[in-house]
Amino acid sequence: MSDSKQRYSDSSRSYIGNDVPGSMVDQGRYDRSKDRETRWNESWKRQPVDLNDIVSRFTPGAQGRRRGRQVRVRKRPVENRRGHGGGLSAHIRQKNEEKRQAQRSAWKQQRNPLQNSQEKGNVIMELVLVLSLEGLNYYGYIPETFQAKPGQTESFELTEGDEDLLDKDFIGPIDRLCNSLIDPGDVDYLNAEQCKLMLGWLEWRLTEPINPRLETIYRKLVEFANKAIELGTGIVFDL
């Protein structure tokens, strides 16, 4: 039987012991992970999760593999989406109440992800603009947009390459500026006030030399941020 929990633990120890001490980028990621632990630890204690159980339930037979600091578990077909074993991290611990997993799965499948989607194995990463917060439940301060009604959100899907670009150029500056916890493999939410801060940074960044794909993403974020500010809502970052 595949022991995903052990793989995750081994990967974490190796990352903390070998990667973090020699890299300011990895040190920043580690510091943000401790911030998340402080913010969510009491909830995690109330809702403990067995990673092996998650894998067996949602990606039976899949083998986890290390990718940098993460262990990712993928299994085709593509309808096994994020929340079904992609990015076994704090994101899963936050999201894994069984009822919510079922709701998220149904919602993702209703979106028919085979049409007009950018695939990351079997994982969708996306930016989600919330047009209305009415009727949405929250996990902490994060609105659960997978429960949104049609027309209540707009989304922009990202690729695996986009994750790497954002990790190098966007995440660190925005987390420091907005006091946010955006990070690869996790979910965070910027409210309207945080979007104002992000918008100023984006407008500056777009005046500098930039990767063409990043320019596309940033212009979409400018559009989303302006709408969120106008509507008094925000943007969910599901990376």
Side-chain angles (χ1 to χ4, degrees):
M1 175 180 173
S2 174
D3 194 333
S4 295
K5 183 176 180 180
Q6 187 62 49
R7 285 191 178 91
Y8 185 86
S9 297
D10 291 345
S11 178
S12 296
R13 282 194 294 269
S14 175
Y15 174 65
I16 294 168
N18 300 325
D19 298 349
V20 169
S23 169
M24 291 182 64
V25 172
D26 287 311
Q27 184 65 58
R29 290 170 179 154
Y30 179 70
D31 291 343
R32 292 194 296 274
S33 77
K34 302 308 288 184
D35 289 341
R36 278 192 297 278
E37 182 178 1
T38 299
R39 185 175 296 185
W40 294 104
N41 195 45
E42 289 306 312
S43 176
W44 293 344
K45 289 178 181 177
R46 291 193 301 270
Q47 299 171 5
V49 172
D50 187 321
L51 296 185
N52 289 326
D53 181 58
I54 295 296
V55 172
S56 65
R57 283 173 181 264
F58 297 113
T59 58
Q63 295 291 318
R65 65 180 181 85
R66 184 177 178 185
R67 181 179 182 272
R69 65 197 178 281
Q70 299 175 344
V71 173
R72 296 189 175 178
V73 182
R74 297 179 179 177
K75 182 177 177 62
R76 299 188 182 279
V78 296
E79 52 263 33
N80 290 320
R81 323 280 319 170
R82 176 180 289 277
H84 288 196
L88 296 175
S89 62
H91 173 79
I92 283 194
R93 286 192 288 178
Q94 293 176 26
K95 292 295 182 181
N96 186 59
E97 291 169 317
E98 190 165 322
K99 179 179 178 181
R100 294 184 181 188
Q101 289 283 9
Q103 290 172 329
R104 188 177 178 91
S105 172
W107 179 78
K108 288 284 190 180
Q109 291 178 12
Q110 287 171 4
R111 290 179 60 224
N112 192 8
L114 294 178
Q115 293 182 358
N116 302 318
S117 66
Q118 298 285 350
E119 293 298 331
K120 177 190 175 184
N122 62 338
V123 178
I124 280 186
M125 300 178 296
E126 58 189 350
L127 311 171
V128 183
L129 167 66
V130 182
L131 299 173
S132 170
L133 294 166
E134 184 178 358
L136 292 180
N137 293 326
Y138 287 77
Y139 197 93
Y141 59 92
I142 302 174
E144 295 184 326
T145 55
F146 60 90
Q147 296 179 332
K149 299 176 182 177
Q152 195 170 4
T153 63
E154 293 181 22
S155 64
F156 180 78
E157 291 182 9
L158 302 169
T159 68
E160 187 167 4
D162 295 339
E163 179 189 65
D164 294 335
L165 289 172
L166 291 169
D167 194 16
K168 293 175 182 176
D169 193 80
F170 175 84
I171 290 174
I174 295 302
D175 279 349
R176 289 189 293 271
L177 180 66
C178 299
N179 191 28
S180 55
L181 295 173
I182 301 168
D183 216 19
D186 284 289
V187 177
D188 204 12
Y189 175 69
L190 298 191
N191 61 31
E193 292 303 313
Q194 290 170 305
C195 284
K196 291 178 183 178
L197 297 173
M198 179 183 67
L199 182 60
W201 185 90
L202 289 169
E203 290 175 340
W204 162 79
R205 186 66 183 89
L206 286 167
T207 67
E208 300 291 318
I210 191 170
N211 176 284
R213 176 59 181 170
L214 270 180
E215 180 179 2
T216 298
I217 296 170
Y218 287 174
R219 292 197 183 282
K220 178 56 68 172
L221 276 173
V222 166
E223 174 191 331
F224 277 10
N226 277 314
K227 288 183 180 179
I229 293 165
E230 177 185 353
L231 297 169
T233 56
I235 301 170
V236 174
F237 290 76
D238 189 355
L239 303 183

Coordinates of all heavy atoms in Angstrom, one line a residue, residues 19-80:
D19 N 16.8 22.5 1.9 CA 16.5 23.6 1.0 C 16.4 24.9 1.7 O 16.9 25.9 1.2 CB 15.2 23.3 0.2 CG 15.3 22.0 -0.6 OD1 16.5 21.5 -0.8 OD2 14.3 21.5 -1.1
V20 N 15.7 24.9 2.8 CA 15.3 26.2 3.4 C 16.6 27.0 3.9 O 16.7 28.2 3.6 CB 14.4 26.0 4.6 CG1 14.2 27.3 5.5 CG2 13.0 25.6 4.1
P21 N 17.6 26.3 4.5 CA 18.7 27.1 5.0 C 19.5 27.8 3.9 O 20.1 28.9 4.2 CB 19.6 26.1 5.7 CG 18.6 25.0 6.1 CD 17.7 24.9 4.9
G22 N 19.5 27.3 2.7 CA 20.3 27.9 1.7 C 19.6 28.8 0.7 O 20.2 29.2 -0.3
S23 N 18.4 29.1 0.9 CA 17.6 29.9 -0.1 C 16.7 30.9 0.6 O 15.8 30.5 1.5 CB 16.8 28.9 -0.9 OG 15.8 29.6 -1.7
M24 N 16.8 32.1 0.3 CA 15.9 33.1 0.8 C 14.5 32.9 0.4 O 13.5 33.1 1.1 CB 16.3 34.5 0.4 CG 17.7 35.0 1.1 SD 18.1 36.6 0.6 CE 16.8 37.6 1.3
V25 N 14.3 32.4 -0.9 CA 13.0 32.1 -1.4 C 12.3 31.0 -0.6 O 11.2 31.1 -0.2 CB 13.0 31.8 -2.9 CG1 11.7 31.3 -3.4 CG2 13.5 32.9 -3.7
D26 N 13.1 29.9 -0.4 CA 12.5 28.8 0.4 C 12.3 29.2 1.9 O 11.3 28.7 2.5 CB 13.4 27.6 0.3 CG 13.3 27.0 -1.1 OD1 12.2 26.7 -1.5 OD2 14.4 26.7 -1.7
Q27 N 13.1 30.1 2.4 CA 12.9 30.5 3.8 C 11.6 31.3 3.9 O 10.9 31.2 4.8 CB 14.1 31.4 4.2 CG 14.0 31.9 5.7 CD 14.1 30.7 6.7 OE1 15.1 30.0 6.6 NE2 13.1 30.6 7.5
G28 N 11.3 32.1 2.8 CA 10.1 32.9 2.8 C 8.9 31.9 2.7 O 7.9 32.1 3.4
R29 N 9.0 30.9 1.9 CA 7.9 29.9 1.9 C 7.7 29.2 3.2 O 6.5 29.0 3.6 CB 8.2 28.9 0.8 CG 8.2 29.4 -0.6 CD 8.7 28.3 -1.6 NE 8.7 28.7 -2.9 CZ 9.5 28.3 -3.9 NH1 10.4 27.4 -3.6 NH2 9.4 28.7 -5.1
Y30 N 8.8 28.9 3.8 CA 8.7 28.2 5.1 C 8.1 29.1 6.2 O 7.2 28.7 6.9 CB 10.1 27.8 5.6 CG 10.1 27.1 6.9 CD1 9.5 25.8 7.1 CD2 10.6 27.7 8.1 CE1 9.5 25.2 8.3 CE2 10.6 27.1 9.3 CZ 10.1 25.8 9.4 OH 10.0 25.2 10.7
D31 N 8.5 30.4 6.2 CA 7.9 31.4 7.1 C 6.4 31.5 6.9 O 5.6 31.6 7.8 CB 8.6 32.7 7.0 CG 10.0 32.7 7.5 OD1 10.4 31.8 8.2 OD2 10.8 33.6 7.1
R32 N 6.0 31.5 5.6 CA 4.5 31.6 5.3 C 3.8 30.4 5.7 O 2.6 30.5 6.2 CB 4.3 31.9 3.8 CG 4.8 33.3 3.3 CD 4.2 33.6 2.0 NE 4.7 32.8 0.9 CZ 5.9 32.9 0.2 NH1 6.7 33.9 0.6 NH2 6.2 32.1 -0.7
S33 N 4.4 29.2 5.6 CA 3.8 28.0 6.1 C 3.6 28.1 7.6 O 2.5 27.6 8.1 CB 4.6 26.8 5.7 OG 5.7 26.6 6.6
K34 N 4.5 28.6 8.3 CA 4.3 28.8 9.8 C 3.2 29.8 10.1 O 2.5 29.6 11.1 CB 5.6 29.1 10.5 CG 6.8 28.2 10.2 CD 6.4 26.7 10.5 CE 6.3 26.5 12.0 NZ 6.0 25.0 12.3
D35 N 3.1 30.8 9.3 CA 2.0 31.8 9.5 C 0.7 31.1 9.3 O -0.3 31.3 10.0 CB 2.1 32.9 8.5 CG 3.3 33.9 8.8 OD1 3.7 33.9 9.9 OD2 3.7 34.6 7.9
R36 N 0.6 30.2 8.2 CA -0.6 29.4 8.0 C -0.9 28.5 9.2 O -2.1 28.4 9.6 CB -0.5 28.6 6.7 CG -0.8 29.4 5.5 CD -1.0 28.5 4.3 NE 0.2 27.7 4.0 CZ 1.2 28.2 3.3 NH1 1.2 29.4 2.8 NH2 2.3 27.4 3.0
E37 N 0.1 27.9 9.7 CA -0.1 27.0 10.9 C -0.6 27.8 12.0 O -1.6 27.3 12.7 CB 1.3 26.3 11.2 CG 1.2 25.4 12.4 CD 2.5 24.7 12.7 OE1 3.5 25.0 12.0 OE2 2.5 23.9 13.6
T38 N -0.1 28.9 12.3 CA -0.6 29.8 13.4 C -2.1 30.1 13.2 O -2.9 30.1 14.1 CB 0.2 31.0 13.5 OG1 1.6 30.7 13.8 CG2 -0.3 31.9 14.6
R39 N -2.4 30.5 11.9 CA -3.8 30.9 11.6 C -4.8 29.8 11.7 O -5.9 30.0 12.1 CB -3.8 31.6 10.3 CG -5.1 32.2 9.9 CD -5.0 33.0 8.6 NE -4.1 34.1 8.6 CZ -4.0 35.0 7.7 NH1 -4.6 34.8 6.5 NH2 -3.1 36.0 7.8
W40 N -4.4 28.6 11.3 CA -5.3 27.5 11.1 C -5.2 26.3 12.0 O -6.0 25.4 12.0 CB -5.2 26.9 9.7 CG -5.6 27.9 8.6 CD1 -4.8 28.6 7.8 CD2 -6.9 28.3 8.2 NE1 -5.5 29.4 6.9 CE2 -6.8 29.2 7.2 CE3 -8.2 27.9 8.7 CZ2 -7.9 29.8 6.6 CZ3 -9.3 28.5 8.1 CH2 -9.1 29.4 7.0
N41 N -4.2 26.4 12.9 CA -3.8 25.2 13.7 C -5.0 24.7 14.5 O -5.2 23.4 14.6 CB -2.6 25.5 14.6 CG -2.0 24.2 15.1 OD1 -1.8 23.2 14.4 ND2 -1.7 24.1 16.4
E42 N -5.8 25.5 15.2 CA -6.9 25.1 16.0 C -7.9 24.4 15.2 O -8.5 23.3 15.6 CB -7.5 26.3 16.7 CG -6.6 26.8 17.9 CD -6.2 25.7 18.8 OE1 -7.1 25.0 19.3 OE2 -5.0 25.7 19.2
S43 N -8.2 24.9 13.9 CA -9.1 24.2 13.0 C -8.6 22.8 12.6 O -9.3 21.9 12.5 CB -9.4 25.1 11.8 OG -10.2 24.4 10.9
W44 N -7.3 22.8 12.3 CA -6.7 21.5 11.9 C -6.8 20.5 13.1 O -7.0 19.3 12.8 CB -5.2 21.7 11.6 CG -5.0 22.5 10.3 CD1 -5.9 22.8 9.4 CD2 -3.8 23.1 9.9 NE1 -5.4 23.6 8.4 CE2 -4.1 23.8 8.7 CE3 -2.5 23.2 10.5 CZ2 -3.1 24.5 8.0 CZ3 -1.5 23.9 9.8 CH2 -1.8 24.6 8.6
K45 N -6.7 20.9 14.3 CA -6.8 20.0 15.4 C -8.2 19.4 15.5 O -8.4 18.3 15.9 CB -6.4 20.7 16.7 CG -4.9 21.0 16.9 CD -4.6 21.7 18.2 CE -3.2 22.1 18.3 NZ -2.9 22.8 19.6
R46 N -9.2 20.3 15.2 CA -10.6 19.8 15.3 C -10.9 18.9 14.1 O -11.9 18.1 14.3 CB -11.5 21.1 15.3 CG -11.4 21.9 16.6 CD -12.6 22.9 16.7 NE -12.7 23.8 15.5 CZ -12.0 25.0 15.5 NH1 -11.3 25.4 16.5 NH2 -12.1 25.7 14.5
Q47 N -10.2 19.1 13.0 CA -10.6 18.3 11.8 C -9.3 17.6 11.3 O -8.8 17.9 10.2 CB -11.1 19.2 10.7 CG -12.4 20.0 11.2 CD -12.8 21.0 10.2 OE1 -12.2 21.2 9.1 NE2 -13.8 21.8 10.5
P48 N -8.8 16.7 12.0 CA -7.6 16.0 11.6 C -7.8 15.2 10.3 O -8.9 14.7 10.1 CB -7.2 15.1 12.8 CG -8.5 14.8 13.5 CD -9.3 16.1 13.3
V49 N -6.8 15.1 9.5 CA -6.9 14.4 8.2 C -5.8 13.3 8.1 O -4.6 13.6 8.4 CB -6.8 15.4 7.0 CG1 -6.8 14.6 5.7 CG2 -8.1 16.3 7.1
D50 N -6.1 12.1 7.7 CA -5.2 11.1 7.4 C -4.9 11.2 5.8 O -5.8 10.9 5.0 CB -5.7 9.7 7.8 CG -4.7 8.6 7.6 OD1 -3.9 8.7 6.6 OD2 -4.6 7.7 8.4
L51 N -3.7 11.5 5.5 CA -3.4 11.7 4.0 C -3.6 10.4 3.3 O -4.0 10.4 2.1 CB -2.0 12.2 3.8 CG -1.7 13.6 4.4 CD1 -0.3 14.1 4.0 CD2 -2.7 14.6 3.9
N52 N -3.2 9.3 3.9 CA -3.4 8.0 3.2 C -4.9 7.8 2.9 O -5.3 7.2 1.9 CB -2.9 6.9 4.1 CG -1.4 6.9 4.1 OD1 -0.7 7.2 3.1 ND2 -0.8 6.5 5.2
D53 N -5.8 8.2 3.8 CA -7.2 8.0 3.6 C -7.7 8.9 2.5 O -8.5 8.5 1.6 CB -8.0 8.4 4.9 CG -9.5 8.2 4.7 OD1 -9.9 7.1 4.4 OD2 -10.2 9.2 4.9
I54 N -7.1 10.1 2.4 CA -7.5 11.0 1.3 C -7.1 10.4 -0.1 O -7.9 10.4 -1.0 CB -6.8 12.4 1.4 CG1 -7.3 13.1 2.7 CG2 -7.0 13.3 0.2 CD1 -8.7 13.5 2.6
V55 N -5.9 9.9 -0.1 CA -5.4 9.3 -1.4 C -6.3 8.1 -1.8 O -6.7 7.9 -2.9 CB -3.9 8.9 -1.3 CG1 -3.5 8.1 -2.5 CG2 -3.1 10.1 -1.1
S56 N -6.5 7.2 -0.8 CA -7.3 6.0 -1.1 C -8.7 6.3 -1.5 O -9.3 5.6 -2.3 CB -7.3 5.0 0.1 OG -8.0 5.6 1.2
R57 N -9.3 7.4 -0.9 CA -10.7 7.8 -1.3 C -10.8 8.4 -2.7 O -11.7 8.1 -3.4 CB -11.2 8.7 -0.2 CG -11.6 8.1 1.1 CD -12.0 9.2 2.1 NE -12.4 8.7 3.4 CZ -13.6 8.5 3.7 NH1 -14.6 8.7 2.9 NH2 -13.9 8.0 4.9
F58 N -9.9 9.3 -3.0 CA -10.1 10.2 -4.1 C -9.1 9.9 -5.3 O -9.4 10.3 -6.4 CB -9.9 11.6 -3.7 CG -11.0 12.1 -2.7 CD1 -10.6 12.4 -1.4 CD2 -12.3 12.1 -3.1 CE1 -11.6 12.8 -0.5 CE2 -13.3 12.5 -2.2 CZ -12.9 12.8 -0.9
T59 N -8.0 9.2 -5.0 CA -7.1 8.8 -6.1 C -6.6 7.4 -5.9 O -5.4 7.2 -5.7 CB -5.9 9.8 -6.3 OG1 -5.2 9.8 -5.1 CG2 -6.4 11.2 -6.7
P60 N -7.5 6.4 -5.8 CA -7.1 5.1 -5.4 C -6.0 4.5 -6.4 O -6.2 4.6 -7.6 CB -8.4 4.3 -5.5 CG -9.3 5.1 -6.3 CD -8.9 6.5 -6.1
G61 N -5.0 4.0 -5.8 CA -3.9 3.4 -6.6 C -2.9 4.4 -7.1 O -1.9 3.9 -7.7
A62 N -3.1 5.7 -6.9 CA -2.1 6.6 -7.4 C -0.9 6.6 -6.5 O -0.9 6.3 -5.3 CB -2.7 8.0 -7.4
Q63 N 0.3 7.0 -7.1 CA 1.5 7.1 -6.4 C 1.9 8.5 -6.3 O 2.0 9.2 -7.3 CB 2.6 6.3 -7.1 CG 2.4 4.8 -7.2 CD 2.5 4.1 -5.8 OE1 3.4 4.5 -5.1 NE2 1.6 3.2 -5.5
G64 N 2.2 8.9 -5.1 CA 2.7 10.3 -4.8 C 4.1 10.5 -5.3 O 4.9 9.5 -5.3
R65 N 4.5 11.6 -5.8 CA 5.8 11.9 -6.2 C 6.2 13.3 -5.7 O 5.4 14.2 -5.7 CB 6.0 11.8 -7.8 CG 5.2 12.9 -8.5 CD 5.5 12.7 -10.0 NE 4.8 13.7 -10.8 CZ 5.3 14.9 -11.1 NH1 6.5 15.3 -10.6 NH2 4.6 15.8 -11.8
R66 N 7.5 13.4 -5.4 CA 8.0 14.7 -4.9 C 8.2 15.6 -6.1 O 8.8 15.2 -7.1 CB 9.2 14.5 -4.1 CG 9.7 15.9 -3.5 CD 10.9 15.7 -2.7 NE 11.3 17.1 -2.2 CZ 12.4 17.3 -1.5 NH1 13.2 16.3 -1.2 NH2 12.7 18.5 -1.1
R67 N 7.7 16.9 -6.0 CA 8.0 17.9 -6.9 C 8.5 19.1 -6.1 O 7.7 19.8 -5.6 CB 6.8 18.3 -7.8 CG 7.1 19.4 -8.8 CD 5.9 19.7 -9.7 NE 6.2 20.7 -10.7 CZ 6.1 22.0 -10.5 NH1 5.7 22.4 -9.3 NH2 6.4 22.8 -11.4
G68 N 9.8 19.3 -6.1 CA 10.3 20.4 -5.3 C 10.0 20.1 -3.8 O 10.3 19.1 -3.2
R69 N 9.3 21.1 -3.2 CA 9.0 21.0 -1.8 C 7.6 20.3 -1.5 O 7.2 20.1 -0.4 CB 8.9 22.4 -1.2 CG 7.8 23.2 -1.7 CD 8.0 24.7 -1.5 NE 6.9 25.4 -2.1 CZ 6.8 25.7 -3.4 NH1 7.8 25.3 -4.2 NH2 5.8 26.5 -3.8
Q70 N 6.9 19.8 -2.6 CA 5.6 19.3 -2.5 C 5.6 17.8 -2.9 O 6.5 17.3 -3.6 CB 4.6 20.0 -3.4 CG 4.5 21.5 -3.1 CD 3.6 22.2 -4.1 OE1 3.3 21.6 -5.2 NE2 3.1 23.4 -3.7
V71 N 4.7 17.1 -2.3 CA 4.3 15.7 -2.8 C 3.0 15.8 -3.5 O 2.0 16.2 -2.9 CB 4.3 14.7 -1.7 CG1 3.8 13.3 -2.2 CG2 5.7 14.5 -1.1
R72 N 3.0 15.4 -4.8 CA 1.7 15.5 -5.5 C 1.3 14.1 -5.9 O 2.0 13.3 -6.3 CB 1.9 16.4 -6.8 CG 2.2 17.8 -6.4 CD 2.2 18.7 -7.5 NE 2.4 20.1 -7.1 CZ 2.5 21.2 -7.9 NH1 2.4 21.0 -9.2 NH2 2.7 22.4 -7.4
V73 N 0.0 13.9 -5.8 CA -0.7 12.7 -6.1 C -1.6 12.9 -7.3 O -2.5 13.7 -7.2 CB -1.4 12.1 -4.9 CG1 -2.0 10.7 -5.3 CG2 -0.4 12.0 -3.8
R74 N -1.4 12.2 -8.4 CA -2.2 12.4 -9.6 C -2.7 11.1 -10.1 O -2.0 10.1 -10.0 CB -1.4 13.1 -10.7 CG -1.0 14.5 -10.3 CD -0.2 15.1 -11.5 NE 0.2 16.4 -11.2 CZ 1.0 17.2 -12.0 NH1 1.4 16.7 -13.1 NH2 1.3 18.4 -11.6
K75 N -3.9 11.1 -10.6 CA -4.5 9.9 -11.2 C -5.5 10.3 -12.2 O -6.3 11.2 -12.0 CB -5.2 9.0 -10.1 CG -5.8 7.7 -10.7 CD -6.4 6.9 -9.6 CE -7.0 5.7 -10.2 NZ -6.0 4.8 -10.8
R76 N -5.3 9.8 -13.4 CA -6.3 10.1 -14.5 C -7.5 9.2 -14.3 O -7.4 8.1 -13.7 CB -5.7 9.9 -15.8 CG -4.5 10.9 -16.0 CD -4.0 10.8 -17.4 NE -2.8 11.7 -17.6 CZ -2.9 13.0 -17.8 NH1 -4.1 13.6 -17.8 NH2 -1.9 13.8 -17.9
P77 N -8.7 9.5 -14.8 CA -9.0 10.6 -15.7 C -9.0 11.9 -15.0 O -9.0 12.0 -13.8 CB -10.4 10.2 -16.2 CG -11.0 9.4 -15.1 CD -9.9 8.6 -14.5
V78 N -9.2 13.0 -15.9 CA -9.0 14.3 -15.4 C -10.1 14.8 -14.5 O -10.0 15.8 -13.9 CB -8.9 15.3 -16.6 CG1 -7.6 15.0 -17.4 CG2 -10.1 15.3 -17.5
E79 N -11.2 14.1 -14.4 CA -12.3 14.6 -13.5 C -11.8 14.5 -12.0 O -12.5 15.0 -11.2 CB -13.6 13.8 -13.7 CG -13.5 12.3 -13.6 CD -13.4 11.7 -15.0 OE1 -12.8 12.3 -15.9 OE2 -13.9 10.6 -15.2
N80 N -10.8 13.8 -11.7 CA -10.2 13.8 -10.4 C -9.4 15.1 -10.2 O -8.3 15.2 -10.6 CB -9.3 12.6 -10.1 CG -10.0 11.3 -10.0 OD1 -11.1 11.3 -9.4 ND2 -9.5 10.3 -10.6

